[in-house]
Amino acid sequence: MGFIAFLKTQFIVHLLIGFVFVVSGLIINFIQLCTLVLWPINKQFYRRVNCRLAYSLWSQLVMLLEWWSGTECTLFSDEATVNTFGKEHVIIILNHNFEIDFLCGWTMTERFGVLGSSKVLAKRELLYVPLIGWTWYFLEIVFCKRKWEEDRDTVIEGLKRLADYPEYMWFLLYCEGTRFTETKHRISMEVAESKGLPKLKYHLLPRTKGFTTAVQCLRGTVSAVYDVTLNFRGNKNPSLLGILYGKKYEADMCVRRFPLEDIPQDEKEAANWLHKLYQEKDALQEMYNQEGIFPGQQFKPPRRPWTLLNFLFWATVLLSPLFTFGFGVFASGSPLLILAFLGLVGAGN
């Protein structure tokens, strides 16, 4: 094991990375709070500032995927579709089978310059979570309770508010509503049978209300829907903990572009369109399981240095005083603190 690989397994290193992320996130949240004074003066400037503040936080997680673990992400698509990335407002539909599927999505938004302005339809409980929920609040993320009777007006209002968003945004929808498990899949297919819908093998039955509402409210703003089907080579099931320990994965993402004008405006027909899409996604997963590859050309968008530089900036700002203090302690020979430090290092072995 090389020295860098050894460092990636050490608890003290993980602790320092977590410290940088949490403290920088709280600083960013405070700055975002201060930017609220900009909203009544210049709403679009407020939005642009918060896109960059959000980027400064989320890109630290992308850095872990791209630079720390070295995970590779390959796109399977066509050149015309790839050429539109980062140049239009879109709705993203992504399967929800893996713990880090959102992170693979984020690395693609980063490589095409839309990480800071990416959006999601999120659970309302996340609104009260520091760093995640607070950052999303200032980004005008749409929150919901998953009860359509209570969510309808809130979701419609939130989506319509994004109609004049100044930065290209990718609006992510997990139409399945929750992450895939065997138990959830069994229950979902029982519902499909009761409703006379075709059964799916690799996905849960999509919930159509969020999709049809997003399409209706963002029509005229959003140009297309990108359907993304994600899988990992070697039948791997990666985790955030694996990424933190520096494990390298190979992610394959099949991306198909559907112009918004091709999606029916009628709510029932749009719902049927989504069900058909998930049947196609199921077929793509079956093909991948059998052949180990998705159809289409392969593209590997190069990683950019900004995620690494951003993390190094925060690490320098936040850890330099910590290490200066630590070296001062060692120089003064405080036995208690030295033993505490050695105990932390030993805990990682």
Side-chain angles (χ1 to χ4, degrees), residues 80-81 84-85 87-93 169-173 211 214-215 218-227 255-263 273:
T81 294
T84 64
F85 290 175
K87 300 174 184 176
E88 58 182 351
H89 297 297
V90 297
I91 294 172
I92 306 286
I93 295 176
M169 62 177 177
W170 287 9
F171 192 97
L172 172 64
L173 285 177
F211 172 76
V215 168
L218 294 176
R219 196 176 288 273
T221 300
V222 165
S223 302
V225 170
Y226 293 169
D227 170 54
V255 184
R256 300 180 297 162
R257 182 183 185 275
F258 298 92
L260 205 69
E261 56 266 25
D262 292 350
I263 299 173
W273 183 92

Side-chain angles (χ1 to χ4, degrees), residues 3 33 53 84 143 188 193 221 229 274 303 309 311 338:
F3 179 68
L33 180 63
L53 289 170
T84 64
F143 292 95
S188 181
E193 186 174 7
T221 300
T229 305
L274 183 64
R303 61 184 180 181
L309 292 175
F311 178 79
I338 291 173

Side-chain angles (χ1 to χ4, degrees), residues 71-338:
T71 292
E72 296 282 351
C73 292
T74 302
L75 298 179
F76 291 78
S77 190
D78 59 83
E79 191 169 352
T81 294
V82 173
N83 287 340
T84 64
F85 290 175
K87 300 174 184 176
E88 58 182 351
H89 297 297
V90 297
I91 294 172
I92 306 286
I93 295 176
L94 178 63
N95 54 311
H96 202 2
N97 296 58
F98 306 98
E99 187 175 309
I100 68 164
D101 47 28
F102 78 95
L103 201 50
C104 292
W106 274 3
T107 193
M108 283 300 111
T109 62
E110 200 289 319
R111 295 183 190 197
F112 291 100
V114 291
L115 174 59
S117 57
S118 60
K119 309 294 179 188
V120 67
L121 187 62
K123 294 185 292 186
R124 186 164 184 80
E125 292 83 357
L126 292 174
L127 175 60
Y128 308 103
V129 178
L131 308 185
I132 299 173
W134 295 356
T135 303
W136 278 350
Y137 171 79
F138 294 109
L139 275 180
E140 302 168 76
I141 292 298
V142 182
F143 292 95
C144 63
K145 298 178 182 178
R146 294 186 179 180
K147 296 181 180 178
W148 185 244
E149 299 76 20
E150 301 177 23
D151 287 333
R152 186 178 184 279
D153 293 340
T154 303
V155 170
I156 290 174
E157 181 183 351
L159 289 169
K160 287 185 175 179
R161 192 166 56 239
L162 297 174
D164 63 343
Y165 209 77
E167 307 253 341
Y168 288 125
M169 62 177 177
W170 287 9
F171 192 97
L172 172 64
L173 285 177
Y174 285 119
C175 293
E176 295 165 271
T178 185
R179 192 182 303 156
F180 183 100
T181 67
E182 291 300 331
T183 300
K184 292 174 184 175
H185 179 254
R186 176 178 53 79
I187 296 172
S188 181
M189 292 307 98
E190 289 174 357
V191 174
E193 186 174 7
S194 68
K195 293 185 176 182
L197 295 170
K199 290 186 177 182
L200 303 171
K201 186 176 180 180
Y202 302 103
H203 299 85
L204 306 180
L205 197 66
R207 301 181 181 186
T208 61
K209 287 292 185 182
F211 172 76
T212 57
T213 302
V215 168
Q216 289 173 353
C217 293
L218 294 176
R219 196 176 288 273
T221 300
V222 165
S223 302
V225 170
Y226 293 169
D227 170 54
V228 183
T229 305
L230 170 68
N231 240 318
F232 289 89
R233 295 183 192 178
N235 201 29
K236 297 285 181 66
N237 190 10
S239 65
L240 286 171
L241 190 60
I243 294 296
L244 190 59
Y245 273 83
K247 291 184 179 180
K248 182 177 180 178
Y249 302 102
E250 293 180 287
D252 290 332
M253 308 172 75
C254 180
V255 184
R256 300 180 297 162
R257 182 183 185 275
F258 298 92
L260 205 69
E261 56 266 25
D262 292 350
I263 299 173
Q265 296 192 30
D266 178 76
E267 182 178 353
K268 186 175 181 180
E269 291 181 6
N272 291 335
W273 183 92
L274 183 64
H275 283 298
K276 182 181 177 183
L277 181 76
Y278 267 78
Q279 293 167 38
E280 294 173 359
K281 288 172 73 69
D282 229 40
L284 284 170
Q285 287 281 29
E286 181 70 27
M287 177 187 298
Y288 189 91
N289 287 348
Q290 292 179 359
E291 302 178 12
I293 195 170
F294 285 122
Q297 295 176 255
Q298 295 187 34
F299 300 87
K300 285 193 176 182
R303 61 184 180 181
R304 308 191 304 169
W306 311 122
T307 58
L308 181 61
L309 292 175
N310 175 74
F311 178 79
L312 291 176
F313 163 77
W314 282 113
T316 302
V317 169
L318 298 174
L319 296 182
S320 292
L322 189 66
F323 280 107
T324 301
F325 171 75
F327 285 128
V329 168
F330 274 96
S332 64
S334 172
L336 184 61
L337 288 176
I338 291 173

